[in-house]
Amino acid sequence: MTPGRPPRVLIDATSVPADRGGVGRYVDGLLGALGRLCASGGVDLVVVGLRTDAERYARMLPAVEVISAPAAVAHRPARLAWEQTGLPLLAQQVGAQVLHSPFYTCPLRAGCPVTVTVHDATFFTEPEHYDKSRRTFFRSAIKTSLRRADRVIVPSKATRDELIRLLDADPTKIDVAYHGVDQSAFHAPSEEEKARVRARLGLGGHNYVAFLGAKEPRKNVPNLIRGWVLAVQDRDDPPALVIAGGQGHDDDIDQAVADVPAHLRLLRPGYLRYADLPGFLGGALVAAYPSYGEGFGLPILEAMACAAPVLTTPRLSLPEVGGDAVAYTSEDPRQIATDLAALLDDESRRLALAKAGLDRAKEFTWESSAEVHLAAWSRISG
Protein backbone atom coordinates (compact mmCIF):
# COMPACT_ATOMS: atom_id res chain seq x y z
CA MET A 1 0.00 0.00 0.00
CA THR A 2 1.32 3.45 -0.89
CA PRO A 3 1.81 5.56 2.25
CA GLY A 4 -1.09 7.97 2.73
CA ARG A 5 -3.39 6.09 0.40
CA PRO A 6 -6.36 4.08 1.72
CA PRO A 7 -6.28 0.30 1.33
CA ARG A 8 -8.19 -1.41 -1.47
CA VAL A 9 -10.77 -3.56 0.32
CA LEU A 10 -12.95 -6.30 -1.14
CA ILE A 11 -16.15 -6.87 0.87
CA ASP A 12 -17.93 -10.18 0.33
CA ALA A 13 -21.66 -9.36 0.60
CA THR A 14 -22.84 -12.69 -0.81
CA SER A 15 -24.00 -13.86 2.63
CA VAL A 16 -26.73 -11.19 2.85
CA PRO A 17 -30.14 -12.92 2.94
CA ALA A 18 -33.07 -11.81 0.84
CA ASP A 19 -35.09 -10.84 3.92
CA ARG A 20 -32.47 -8.20 4.92
CA GLY A 21 -32.46 -9.51 8.50
CA GLY A 22 -29.74 -8.74 11.04
CA VAL A 23 -26.74 -9.45 8.80
CA GLY A 24 -28.46 -7.60 5.95
CA ARG A 25 -29.00 -4.54 8.13
CA TYR A 26 -25.34 -4.68 9.20
CA VAL A 27 -23.92 -5.01 5.68
CA ASP A 28 -26.28 -2.42 4.18
CA GLY A 29 -25.64 0.09 6.97
CA LEU A 30 -21.88 -0.42 6.85
CA LEU A 31 -21.75 -0.18 3.05
CA GLY A 32 -23.81 3.01 3.07
CA ALA A 33 -21.35 4.69 5.44
CA LEU A 34 -18.32 3.30 3.58
CA GLY A 35 -19.77 4.51 0.31
CA ARG A 36 -19.74 8.06 1.64
CA LEU A 37 -16.12 7.63 2.78
CA CYS A 38 -15.25 6.19 -0.61
CA ALA A 39 -16.70 9.22 -2.38
CA SER A 40 -14.38 11.45 -0.35
CA GLY A 41 -11.33 9.24 -0.91
CA GLY A 42 -11.37 7.68 2.56
CA VAL A 43 -11.44 4.09 1.32
CA ASP A 44 -10.98 2.23 -1.98
CA LEU A 45 -13.82 -0.29 -1.98
CA VAL A 46 -14.92 -3.25 -4.11
CA VAL A 47 -18.12 -5.13 -3.25
CA VAL A 48 -19.15 -8.55 -4.51
CA GLY A 49 -22.77 -9.53 -3.97
CA LEU A 50 -25.49 -11.81 -5.21
CA ARG A 51 -26.80 -10.95 -8.65
CA THR A 52 -30.12 -9.94 -7.09
CA ASP A 53 -28.27 -7.36 -4.96
CA ALA A 54 -25.67 -6.09 -7.44
CA GLU A 55 -27.92 -3.51 -9.12
CA ARG A 56 -29.13 -2.28 -5.74
CA TYR A 57 -25.57 -1.88 -4.45
CA ALA A 58 -24.53 -0.12 -7.66
CA ARG A 59 -27.28 2.48 -7.13
CA MET A 60 -26.47 2.81 -3.44
CA LEU A 61 -22.69 3.04 -3.96
CA PRO A 62 -21.97 5.09 -7.11
CA ALA A 63 -18.28 5.53 -6.20
CA VAL A 64 -17.74 1.81 -5.53
CA GLU A 65 -16.90 -1.04 -7.91
CA VAL A 66 -19.70 -3.62 -7.59
CA ILE A 67 -19.29 -7.17 -8.92
CA SER A 68 -21.94 -9.87 -9.34
CA ALA A 69 -21.08 -13.29 -7.92
CA PRO A 70 -21.86 -16.42 -9.96
CA ALA A 71 -25.55 -17.31 -9.93
CA ALA A 72 -24.95 -20.60 -8.08
CA VAL A 73 -23.66 -18.67 -5.06
CA ALA A 74 -27.28 -17.92 -4.12
CA HIS A 75 -27.38 -21.44 -2.64
CA ARG A 76 -25.53 -21.78 0.65
CA PRO A 77 -23.40 -24.91 -0.07
CA ALA A 78 -22.24 -23.40 -3.34
CA ARG A 79 -21.53 -20.05 -1.64
CA LEU A 80 -19.37 -21.70 1.00
CA ALA A 81 -17.43 -23.58 -1.68
CA TRP A 82 -17.01 -20.42 -3.78
CA GLU A 83 -15.82 -18.56 -0.68
CA GLN A 84 -12.82 -20.91 -0.46
CA THR A 85 -11.93 -20.89 -4.16
CA GLY A 86 -13.62 -18.20 -6.24
CA LEU A 87 -13.43 -15.40 -3.65
CA PRO A 88 -9.62 -15.56 -3.22
CA LEU A 89 -9.27 -15.56 -7.01
CA LEU A 90 -11.53 -12.50 -7.23
CA ALA A 91 -9.49 -10.76 -4.53
CA GLN A 92 -6.40 -11.32 -6.63
CA GLN A 93 -8.11 -10.12 -9.82
CA VAL A 94 -9.26 -6.82 -8.30
CA GLY A 95 -5.97 -6.20 -6.50
CA ALA A 96 -7.49 -6.31 -3.02
CA GLN A 97 -5.12 -5.51 -0.18
CA VAL A 98 -7.69 -6.64 2.40
CA LEU A 99 -10.64 -9.04 2.19
CA HIS A 100 -13.53 -8.52 4.60
CA SER A 101 -15.93 -11.39 5.33
CA PRO A 102 -18.98 -10.05 7.23
CA PHE A 103 -20.61 -13.27 8.44
CA TYR A 104 -18.50 -15.66 10.57
CA THR A 105 -16.73 -17.58 7.77
CA CYS A 106 -13.73 -16.61 5.66
CA PRO A 107 -11.37 -18.19 3.10
CA LEU A 108 -8.63 -20.31 4.60
CA ARG A 109 -6.14 -19.06 1.99
CA ALA A 110 -7.18 -15.65 0.71
CA GLY A 111 -3.89 -14.43 -0.72
CA CYS A 112 -4.24 -11.15 1.23
CA PRO A 113 -4.98 -10.13 4.85
CA VAL A 114 -8.48 -11.02 6.03
CA THR A 115 -10.90 -9.50 8.53
CA VAL A 116 -14.04 -11.33 9.56
CA THR A 117 -17.07 -10.24 11.57
CA VAL A 118 -18.13 -12.60 14.36
CA HIS A 119 -21.58 -11.39 15.36
CA ASP A 120 -22.01 -13.21 18.66
CA ALA A 121 -20.79 -15.99 20.93
CA THR A 122 -24.23 -17.41 21.75
CA PHE A 123 -23.44 -20.64 19.91
CA PHE A 124 -21.20 -21.25 22.93
CA THR A 125 -23.03 -19.39 25.71
CA GLU A 126 -26.56 -20.55 24.75
CA PRO A 127 -25.95 -23.81 22.81
CA GLU A 128 -29.30 -25.32 23.80
CA HIS A 129 -31.12 -22.72 21.71
CA TYR A 130 -29.70 -23.97 18.40
CA ASP A 131 -30.25 -27.20 16.50
CA LYS A 132 -27.24 -29.49 16.38
CA SER A 133 -26.22 -28.92 12.75
CA ARG A 134 -26.36 -25.12 12.99
CA ARG A 135 -24.56 -25.10 16.32
CA THR A 136 -21.81 -27.40 15.04
CA PHE A 137 -21.29 -25.39 11.85
CA PHE A 138 -21.05 -21.96 13.48
CA ARG A 139 -18.94 -23.10 16.42
CA SER A 140 -16.43 -24.54 13.94
CA ALA A 141 -16.60 -21.43 11.75
CA ILE A 142 -15.97 -19.10 14.70
CA LYS A 143 -13.01 -21.12 15.95
CA THR A 144 -11.50 -21.19 12.45
CA SER A 145 -12.00 -17.45 11.90
CA LEU A 146 -10.47 -16.59 15.27
CA ARG A 147 -7.45 -18.66 14.29
CA ARG A 148 -7.05 -17.69 10.61
CA ALA A 149 -8.26 -14.09 10.28
CA ASP A 150 -5.77 -11.26 10.66
CA ARG A 151 -8.32 -9.25 12.62
CA VAL A 152 -11.78 -10.06 13.99
CA ILE A 153 -14.52 -7.45 14.25
CA VAL A 154 -17.28 -7.90 16.84
CA PRO A 155 -20.34 -5.71 17.54
CA SER A 156 -20.02 -5.48 21.33
CA LYS A 157 -17.61 -5.69 24.24
CA ALA A 158 -19.69 -8.56 25.63
CA THR A 159 -19.06 -10.62 22.49
CA ARG A 160 -15.34 -9.82 22.63
CA ASP A 161 -15.15 -10.79 26.28
CA GLU A 162 -17.02 -14.08 25.73
CA LEU A 163 -14.76 -15.06 22.83
CA ILE A 164 -11.73 -14.41 25.01
CA ARG A 165 -13.20 -16.24 28.01
CA LEU A 166 -14.58 -19.27 26.21
CA LEU A 167 -12.19 -19.70 23.27
CA ASP A 168 -9.02 -18.05 24.50
CA ALA A 169 -9.19 -15.61 21.59
CA ASP A 170 -6.32 -13.18 21.20
CA PRO A 171 -7.66 -9.85 22.56
CA THR A 172 -5.12 -7.87 20.54
CA LYS A 173 -6.72 -9.11 17.28
CA ILE A 174 -10.32 -8.11 18.14
CA ASP A 175 -11.93 -4.75 17.31
CA VAL A 176 -15.30 -3.69 18.72
CA ALA A 177 -17.48 -1.88 16.16
CA TYR A 178 -20.97 -1.17 17.47
CA HIS A 179 -23.75 -1.38 14.92
CA GLY A 180 -25.52 1.80 13.90
CA VAL A 181 -29.10 2.60 13.06
CA ASP A 182 -30.40 4.26 9.90
CA GLN A 183 -32.18 7.31 11.30
CA SER A 184 -34.06 7.85 8.04
CA ALA A 185 -35.48 4.32 8.07
CA PHE A 186 -36.00 4.09 11.84
CA HIS A 187 -37.46 7.27 13.30
CA ALA A 188 -40.16 8.51 15.63
CA PRO A 189 -43.30 7.88 13.54
CA SER A 190 -46.08 10.31 12.76
CA GLU A 191 -49.64 9.58 13.84
CA GLU A 192 -50.39 8.84 10.19
CA GLU A 193 -47.65 6.18 10.07
CA LYS A 194 -48.96 4.58 13.25
CA ALA A 195 -52.53 4.58 11.93
CA ARG A 196 -51.45 3.02 8.62
CA VAL A 197 -49.81 0.09 10.41
CA ARG A 198 -52.80 -0.41 12.69
CA ALA A 199 -55.05 -0.51 9.63
CA ARG A 200 -52.80 -3.02 7.85
CA LEU A 201 -52.82 -5.25 10.92
CA GLY A 202 -56.57 -4.87 11.45
CA LEU A 203 -56.06 -3.39 14.91
CA GLY A 204 -58.14 -0.26 14.46
CA GLY A 205 -57.68 1.80 17.60
CA HIS A 206 -56.62 -1.19 19.69
CA ASN A 207 -53.39 -0.95 21.71
CA TYR A 208 -50.68 -3.59 21.34
CA VAL A 209 -47.32 -4.88 22.54
CA ALA A 210 -44.79 -5.41 19.75
CA PHE A 211 -42.10 -7.98 19.06
CA LEU A 212 -39.99 -7.80 15.90
CA GLY A 213 -37.39 -10.44 15.11
CA ALA A 214 -36.65 -13.99 14.08
CA LYS A 215 -38.68 -16.68 15.86
CA GLU A 216 -35.61 -18.51 17.12
CA PRO A 217 -35.45 -20.20 20.55
CA ARG A 218 -32.86 -17.68 21.73
CA LYS A 219 -35.37 -14.85 21.25
CA ASN A 220 -37.61 -16.33 23.98
CA VAL A 221 -40.88 -15.66 22.15
CA PRO A 222 -42.85 -18.46 23.91
CA ASN A 223 -42.13 -16.95 27.32
CA LEU A 224 -42.99 -13.50 26.01
CA ILE A 225 -46.39 -14.86 24.96
CA ARG A 226 -46.90 -16.52 28.35
CA GLY A 227 -45.80 -13.38 30.20
CA TRP A 228 -48.10 -11.19 28.11
CA VAL A 229 -51.05 -13.50 28.88
CA LEU A 230 -50.36 -13.27 32.62
CA ALA A 231 -49.95 -9.48 32.42
CA VAL A 232 -53.13 -8.64 30.48
CA GLN A 233 -55.67 -11.47 30.81
CA ASP A 234 -57.61 -9.82 33.67
CA ARG A 235 -57.66 -6.32 32.18
CA ASP A 236 -60.84 -4.73 30.89
CA ASP A 237 -59.22 -3.67 27.63
CA PRO A 238 -56.19 -5.97 27.19
CA PRO A 239 -53.63 -4.89 24.59
CA ALA A 240 -52.93 -7.28 21.74
CA LEU A 241 -49.56 -8.92 21.19
CA VAL A 242 -48.11 -8.66 17.67
CA ILE A 243 -45.25 -11.07 16.87
CA ALA A 244 -43.73 -9.82 13.61
CA GLY A 245 -40.68 -10.94 11.63
CA GLY A 246 -39.29 -14.13 10.12
CA GLN A 247 -40.78 -17.53 10.78
CA GLY A 248 -37.71 -19.07 12.44
CA HIS A 249 -37.71 -22.56 13.90
CA ASP A 250 -39.09 -22.46 17.46
CA ASP A 251 -41.80 -25.15 17.70
CA ASP A 252 -42.59 -24.07 21.26
CA ILE A 253 -44.20 -20.89 19.91
CA ASP A 254 -47.16 -22.83 18.47
CA GLN A 255 -47.82 -24.45 21.84
CA ALA A 256 -47.68 -21.09 23.61
CA VAL A 257 -50.09 -19.63 21.06
CA ALA A 258 -52.47 -22.57 21.51
CA ASP A 259 -52.65 -21.78 25.25
CA VAL A 260 -53.66 -18.13 24.77
CA PRO A 261 -57.17 -17.47 26.19
CA ALA A 262 -59.81 -16.88 23.53
CA HIS A 263 -60.59 -13.33 24.64
CA LEU A 264 -57.00 -12.16 24.01
CA ARG A 265 -55.73 -11.15 20.60
CA LEU A 266 -52.37 -12.35 19.27
CA LEU A 267 -51.29 -11.54 15.71
CA ARG A 268 -48.45 -13.10 13.71
CA PRO A 269 -48.25 -11.06 10.48
CA GLY A 270 -44.83 -12.37 9.41
CA TYR A 271 -42.58 -9.89 7.65
CA LEU A 272 -43.70 -6.28 7.65
CA ARG A 273 -42.84 -3.79 4.95
CA TYR A 274 -39.65 -1.90 5.76
CA ALA A 275 -41.56 1.39 5.52
CA ASP A 276 -44.04 0.17 8.16
CA LEU A 277 -41.46 -0.60 10.85
CA PRO A 278 -41.36 2.89 12.46
CA GLY A 279 -45.15 2.96 12.73
CA PHE A 280 -45.21 -0.59 14.08
CA LEU A 281 -42.49 -0.14 16.70
CA GLY A 282 -43.20 3.46 17.63
CA GLY A 283 -46.94 2.84 17.75
CA ALA A 284 -46.68 0.05 20.34
CA LEU A 285 -47.31 0.57 24.04
CA VAL A 286 -44.14 -1.47 24.62
CA ALA A 287 -41.62 -3.13 22.31
CA ALA A 288 -40.71 -6.34 24.15
CA TYR A 289 -37.55 -8.32 23.46
CA PRO A 290 -36.83 -10.72 26.37
CA SER A 291 -33.90 -12.47 24.66
CA TYR A 292 -31.63 -15.01 26.32
CA GLY A 293 -28.68 -13.10 24.90
CA GLU A 294 -27.48 -11.21 21.84
CA GLY A 295 -24.22 -10.39 20.16
CA PHE A 296 -25.46 -6.82 19.81
CA GLY A 297 -29.23 -6.36 19.89
CA LEU A 298 -30.09 -4.45 16.73
CA PRO A 299 -33.88 -4.89 17.22
CA ILE A 300 -33.84 -2.98 20.51
CA LEU A 301 -31.72 -0.20 19.00
CA GLU A 302 -34.12 0.11 16.07
CA ALA A 303 -37.09 0.18 18.46
CA MET A 304 -35.39 2.89 20.54
CA ALA A 305 -34.81 4.92 17.36
CA CYS A 306 -38.56 4.70 16.70
CA ALA A 307 -39.32 6.15 20.16
CA ALA A 308 -40.72 2.88 21.49
CA PRO A 309 -40.49 2.09 25.22
CA VAL A 310 -38.36 -1.07 25.26
CA LEU A 311 -38.49 -4.03 27.65
CA THR A 312 -35.54 -6.39 27.34
CA THR A 313 -33.15 -8.50 29.44
CA PRO A 314 -29.73 -7.58 30.87
CA ARG A 315 -28.10 -10.51 29.08
CA LEU A 316 -24.74 -10.27 27.28
CA SER A 317 -24.61 -7.16 25.05
CA LEU A 318 -28.12 -5.82 25.61
CA PRO A 319 -27.18 -3.44 28.47
CA GLU A 320 -24.42 -2.00 26.25
CA VAL A 321 -27.08 -1.00 23.76
CA GLY A 322 -29.97 -0.11 26.05
CA GLY A 323 -28.10 1.44 28.97
CA ASP A 324 -30.51 3.31 31.25
CA ALA A 325 -32.85 4.05 28.35
CA VAL A 326 -34.73 0.73 28.46
CA ALA A 327 -36.57 -1.33 31.08
CA TYR A 328 -35.21 -4.72 32.06
CA THR A 329 -36.81 -8.02 32.94
CA SER A 330 -35.72 -11.66 33.11
CA GLU A 331 -36.33 -14.57 30.73
CA ASP A 332 -38.95 -16.07 33.07
CA PRO A 333 -42.60 -15.60 32.00
CA ARG A 334 -43.79 -14.58 35.47
CA GLN A 335 -41.16 -11.89 35.78
CA ILE A 336 -41.92 -10.75 32.24
CA ALA A 337 -45.55 -10.48 33.27
CA THR A 338 -44.70 -8.41 36.35
CA ASP A 339 -42.42 -6.00 34.51
CA LEU A 340 -44.64 -5.70 31.45
CA ALA A 341 -47.69 -4.97 33.61
CA ALA A 342 -45.74 -2.30 35.50
CA LEU A 343 -44.91 -0.57 32.20
CA LEU A 344 -48.46 -0.85 30.88
CA ASP A 345 -49.72 0.83 34.07
CA ASP A 346 -47.18 3.67 34.03
CA GLU A 347 -47.64 5.99 31.07
CA SER A 348 -45.17 8.57 32.40
CA ARG A 349 -42.43 5.95 32.58
CA ARG A 350 -43.20 4.76 29.05
CA LEU A 351 -42.93 8.34 27.78
CA ALA A 352 -39.64 8.84 29.64
CA LEU A 353 -38.21 5.61 28.22
CA ALA A 354 -39.35 6.57 24.71
CA LYS A 355 -37.50 9.89 24.92
CA ALA A 356 -34.40 8.38 26.55
CA GLY A 357 -34.26 5.59 23.96
CA LEU A 358 -34.63 8.03 21.09
CA ASP A 359 -31.77 10.15 22.43
CA ARG A 360 -29.52 7.15 23.10
CA ALA A 361 -30.12 5.65 19.66
CA LYS A 362 -28.55 8.75 18.09
CA GLU A 363 -25.22 7.73 19.63
CA PHE A 364 -25.04 4.60 17.45
CA THR A 365 -24.09 5.48 13.87
CA TRP A 366 -22.91 3.46 10.90
CA GLU A 367 -20.28 6.14 10.30
CA SER A 368 -18.67 5.27 13.66
CA SER A 369 -18.82 1.57 12.81
CA ALA A 370 -17.25 2.23 9.40
CA GLU A 371 -14.36 4.13 11.02
CA VAL A 372 -13.53 1.12 13.22
CA HIS A 373 -13.63 -1.20 10.19
CA LEU A 374 -11.41 1.15 8.21
CA ALA A 375 -8.89 1.39 11.06
CA ALA A 376 -8.71 -2.41 11.20
CA TRP A 377 -8.17 -2.67 7.45
CA SER A 378 -5.51 0.03 7.46
CA ARG A 379 -3.70 -1.70 10.32
CA ILE A 380 -3.21 -4.94 8.39
CA SER A 381 -2.95 -3.76 4.79
CA GLY A 382 0.62 -2.52 4.86
Side-chain angles (χ1 to χ4, degrees), residues 175-261:
D175 298 297
V176 177
Y178 287 125
H179 291 337
V181 62
D182 183 345
Q183 298 284 345
S184 62
F186 295 92
H187 56 265
S190 66
E191 292 303 318
E192 181 182 353
E193 288 176 299
K194 296 177 186 178
R196 184 179 69 226
V197 173
R198 289 175 184 275
R200 287 184 184 278
L201 295 174
L203 286 167
H206 204 63
N207 287 320
Y208 63 96
V209 174
F211 171 89
L212 177 66
K215 318 286 195 308
E216 299 174 350
R218 179 165 53 93
K219 309 301 182 183
N220 201 25
V221 174
N223 280 348
L224 170 59
I225 295 171
R226 296 175 185 121
W228 162 75
V229 169
L230 292 172
V232 307
Q233 62 183 348
D234 295 327
R235 294 172 182 257
D236 293 334
D237 185 19
L241 176 62
V242 184
I243 305 289
Q247 292 306 305
H249 54 269
D250 189 351
D251 296 333
D252 198 24
I253 293 177
D254 290 334
Q255 182 57 56
V257 170
D259 293 337
V260 172

Side-chain angles (χ1 to χ4, degrees), residues 65-234:
E65 182 179 357
V66 178
I67 298 171
S68 294
V73 172
H75 302 283
R76 186 182 177 203
R79 191 193 79 78
L80 291 171
W82 175 83
E83 180 180 61
Q84 298 302 321
T85 56
L87 184 59
L89 180 60
L90 179 62
Q92 182 181 11
Q93 290 171 345
V94 302
Q97 295 163 303
V98 179
L99 170 63
H100 180 63
S101 295
F103 191 62
Y104 296 103
T105 63
C106 64
L108 298 180
R109 294 176 179 82
C112 65
V114 172
T115 57
V116 61
T117 302
V118 173
H119 291 270
D120 60 81
T122 58
F123 297 99
F124 300 93
T125 61
E126 307 289 334
E128 68 275 15
H129 296 137
Y130 296 97
D131 64 66
K132 183 178 180 181
S133 62
R134 191 163 184 241
R135 180 175 67 241
T136 300
F137 173 82
F138 281 102
R139 286 171 72 137
S140 175
I142 291 169
K143 290 176 181 178
T144 300
S145 291
L146 288 174
R147 187 172 65 252
R148 301 302 292 262
D150 294 87
R151 296 204 71 78
V152 174
I153 294 175
V154 297
S156 65
K157 294 174 183 176
T159 298
R160 177 198 62 194
D161 294 347
E162 291 298 89
L163 292 175
I164 294 169
R165 181 178 70 87
L166 295 169
L167 301 176
D168 197 28
D170 181 355
T172 66
K173 286 177 52 177
I174 303 176
D175 298 297
V176 177
Y178 287 125
H179 291 337
V181 62
D182 183 345
Q183 298 284 345
S184 62
F186 295 92
H187 56 265
S190 66
E191 292 303 318
E192 181 182 353
E193 288 176 299
K194 296 177 186 178
R196 184 179 69 226
V197 173
R198 289 175 184 275
R200 287 184 184 278
L201 295 174
L203 286 167
H206 204 63
N207 287 320
Y208 63 96
V209 174
F211 171 89
L212 177 66
K215 318 286 195 308
E216 299 174 350
R218 179 165 53 93
K219 309 301 182 183
N220 201 25
V221 174
N223 280 348
L224 170 59
I225 295 171
R226 296 175 185 121
W228 162 75
V229 169
L230 292 172
V232 307
Q233 62 183 348
D234 295 327

Side-chain angles (χ1 to χ4, degrees), residues 9-13 16 20 22-38 43 45-47 56-57 60-61 64 100-103 115-117 119 153 177-182 274 298 365-377:
V9 181
L10 172 62
I11 296 183
D12 174 19
V16 174
R20 320 310 287 186
V23 65
R25 299 266 224 283
Y26 159 62
V27 172
D28 286 357
L30 178 64
L31 286 180
L34 289 170
R36 291 184 284 276
L37 285 172
C38 195
V43 63
L45 202 63
V46 181
V47 176
R56 178 173 177 275
Y57 286 140
M60 188 172 89
L61 307 165
V64 172
H100 180 63
S101 295
F103 191 62
T115 57
V116 61
T117 302
H119 291 270
I153 294 175
Y178 287 125
H179 291 337
V181 62
D182 183 345
Y274 207 65
L298 198 51
T365 68
W366 288 116
E367 284 72 20
S368 294
S369 182
E371 291 289 355
V372 176
H373 285 73
L374 183 56
W377 298 333

